Amino acid sequence: MRTLIKNIKELVQVETGQQKSRAMGKEMAQVETVENAYLLVEDGTIKAFGPMDEWEGTADREVDATGRMVFPTFCDSHTHIVYANSREHEFVDKIRGLSYEEIAKRGGGILNSAKATAAASEQELYDMALQRLEGVMRLGTGAIEIKSGYGLTTDSELKLLRVIRRLKETSPMTIKANFLGAHGIPMEYRGHQEDYVDLVINEMLPRVADEGLADFIDVFCDQGFFTVEDTARILEAGIRHGLRPKIHANEMAVSGGVQVGVKYGAISVDHLEQMGDAEIECLKGSDTMPTILPGCAFFLNLPLSPARKMVDAGLPVAMASDYNPGTSPSGNMQLVLSMACIRYRLTPEEALNATTLNTAYAMDASREVGTIAVGKKANFFLSKPIPGLEYMPYAYGENKVERVFLNGEEV
Ligand code: NIG
Ligand code: FE
């Protein structure tokens, strides 16, 4: 099956030369485009593209994109979309002055979600997550990483990971699973959390690995949650079971999370609201993608991660949604793109690289998605009629996505 997308006003984020796995420093400002373009899809992958007047051949199906721009779909490399309940009461508590850490200490936060999630069936959780997945797909997301972490018991964590496996099997999205057993410390382990770490390592992890349920292993390494030592133990065990680390770090404090992530070859360290110069230095020359979660900082009123400083220091930066009920109840990557520019002072081109190619890298998918390149999955969207690339982050809060194609099929 050959599908031709014709008369594209501008085809954005194409790769004509050597395909890049990520964009770093000054490269982040580069976005290659083709004006008045065509895009040819064959059997779900990108077969060719170029200026419209160079198109020759036949196709089984044609889509006229007159007036529309075409972008690769967003990659959202950090989400927690398998959960049972929303947490708007805590949202109000926060407005009244409680901090995220205070809510967590008294058993709210992640433990609140874990309680509701334990009571829900696998089918219920699947239905809810699928709905969220479809919602973000309509907003232009084509690849997504999903974490467990609202289980916190062996059975419940396995239940969440099986839901993610089922989503992988049924959804047209590119999905990666991340085992986040070390997300919160259950009440009964308070004061001796090393015993919970033992449970994660000795009981959960072998089951997760045996069933092949995860691509990555995560830890919430931060003040009030898991220590650097806990994290090191869990990551070492995860690596032994073939899982690459991809962790939460430096949300609450300069906690050593970045350093422990880099030490264990994490594919990404995520959050990074609390960054010193040592953290930036440590990321230089590493294969670890610094990933910022603008929705979380917005929702919790946290300090902003120094994205501009990191890019100016030559680092790559990725930006993901962190879609979850506690710190970012939105998976809208168009909004992340806007926040990247407005709050973090990235240019529209840098913001686009941060939400497509670099997030693809952060979920180990940049060979398949993240740009418009021959051989990659035909995952792209047609914009509504818009004046240009800059309009995408500029018109925040407005849905600029008109039609979404995944694996060459309209969804
Ligand atoms: O990425 N920071 C840790 N985990 C999630 C929040 C989880 C929750 O509050 O439910 C995050 O922000
Ligand atoms: Fe998170």
Side-chain angles (χ1 to χ4, degrees):
M1 167 69 91
R2 280 157 69 92
T3 306
L4 175 71
I5 317 294
K6 64 179 187 183
N7 302 324
I8 302 167
K9 175 185 159 96
E10 195 168 358
L11 178 61
V12 181
Q13 183 71 321
V14 299
E15 287 192 284
T16 43
Q18 176 85 21
Q19 291 179 17
K20 286 202 292 279
S21 63
R22 57 182 170 166
M24 304 168 67
K26 287 195 168 56
E27 288 167 356
M28 285 192 66
Q30 294 161 14
V31 170
E32 214 183 318
T33 73
V34 185
E35 282 177 27
N36 191 18
Y38 77 89
L39 172 66
L40 181 69
V41 174
E42 192 172 271
D43 301 330
T45 59
I46 296 167
K47 180 80 177 163
F49 57 82
M52 199 57 218
D53 56 16
E54 286 177 16
W55 160 250
E56 50 187 37
T58 55
D60 306 298
R61 207 166 44 174
E62 291 192 358
V63 174
D64 188 356
T66 301
R68 276 84 181 156
M69 297 180 69
V70 168
F71 293 80
T73 47
F74 294 109
C75 300
D76 191 351
S77 60
H78 183 134
T79 80
H80 312 241
I81 61 164
V82 188
Y83 59 85
N85 64 331
S86 57
R87 303 211 316 252
E88 62 282 0
H89 300 295
E90 293 176 3
F91 169 66
V92 177
D93 290 341
K94 276 180 228 139
I95 295 168
R96 296 213 162 102
L98 280 185
S99 73
Y100 180 74
E101 276 174 287
E102 283 163 343
I103 292 171
K105 259 201 203 110
R106 60 178 205 190
I110 293 166
L111 298 188
N112 172 350
S113 288
K115 203 165 153 199
T117 304
S121 71
E122 197 171 309
Q123 182 66 38
E124 286 165 337
L125 288 168
Y126 171 80
D127 290 341
M128 286 186 268
L130 186 64
Q131 225 179 6
R132 293 177 192 123
L133 207 53
E134 283 179 352
V136 296
M137 195 162 82
R138 305 262 155 254
L139 293 168
T141 298
I144 196 164
E145 177 258 18
I146 310 173
K147 300 170 198 298
S148 67
Y150 291 125
L152 309 183
T153 64
T154 304
D155 284 347
S156 205
E157 282 296 312
L158 290 170
K159 179 171 72 174
L160 299 191
L161 288 166
R162 288 185 192 122
V163 168
I164 302 171
R165 177 172 62 194
R166 213 171 130 200
L167 293 169
K168 278 190 184 187
E169 288 162 1
T170 52
S171 165
M173 286 231 213
T174 300
I175 297 177
K176 296 284 172 104
N178 193 347
F179 167 51
L180 176 55
H183 193 196
I185 299 147
M187 275 298 180
E188 59 276 27
Y189 288 95
R190 296 273 165 103
H192 56 109
Q193 70 188 62
E194 56 290 351
D195 293 336
Y196 183 68
V197 173
D198 286 340
L199 182 79
V200 170
I201 293 175
N202 299 326
E203 197 177 294
M204 296 187 193
L205 190 53
R207 299 275 304 274
V208 170
D210 273 0
E211 284 191 46
L213 287 170
D215 302 295
F216 301 107
I217 182 148
D218 202 335
V219 177
F220 186 5
C221 176
D222 225 316
Q223 180 180 291
F225 293 85
F226 293 89
T227 65
V228 167
E229 293 70 36
D230 296 335
T231 305
R233 285 180 61 207
I234 295 169
L235 298 189
E236 265 172 30
I239 292 167
R240 274 201 302 280
H241 282 95
L243 301 181
R244 180 132 187 225
K246 173 171 171 60
I247 68 167
H248 284 73
N250 296 49
E251 176 184 356
M252 307 297 164
V254 184
S255 58
V258 170
Q259 284 82 349
V260 72
V262 170
K263 177 173 175 199
Y264 287 98
I267 195 160
S268 74
V269 286
D270 302 21
H271 273 288
L272 314 183
E273 283 86 1
Q274 310 285 344
M275 291 284 278
D277 289 343
E279 279 65 30
I280 294 182
E281 276 311 306
C282 160
L283 284 159
K284 284 187 189 165
S286 77
D287 292 330
T288 301
M289 177 62 68
T291 302
I292 296 170
L293 309 170
C296 173
F298 172 65
F299 193 75
L300 296 187
N301 270 313
L302 298 178
L304 300 185
S305 183
R308 185 70 270 154
K309 196 170 168 187
M310 289 196 264
V311 174
D312 292 343
L315 292 178
V317 163
M319 294 209 185
S321 78
D322 198 16
Y323 194 175
N324 78 77
T327 69
S328 184
S330 163
N332 186 339
M333 287 295 283
Q334 295 182 55
L335 198 52
V336 172
L337 188 76
S338 291
M339 289 196 275
C341 297
I342 298 162
R343 305 239 298 163
Y344 296 84
R345 304 187 63 78
L346 297 191
T347 65
E349 291 79 10
E350 289 170 331
L352 191 68
N353 273 308
T355 51
T356 56
L357 179 60
N358 283 355
T359 33
Y361 177 96
M363 54 186 284
D364 195 22
S366 56
R367 282 175 305 279
E368 309 163 84
V369 292
T371 60
I372 303 289
V374 170
K376 284 196 181 185
K377 287 188 184 176
N379 284 11
F380 56 89
F381 64 78
L382 272 60
S383 72
K384 292 180 179 163
I386 59 172
L389 162 62
E390 300 81 1
Y391 189 87
M392 284 295 288
Y394 159 82
Y396 79 91
E398 177 184 323
N399 180 18
K400 283 90 48 183
V401 172
E402 190 168 78
R403 299 172 74 176
V404 180
F405 291 74
L406 297 181
N407 311 303
E409 295 301 321
E410 186 160 10
V411 294

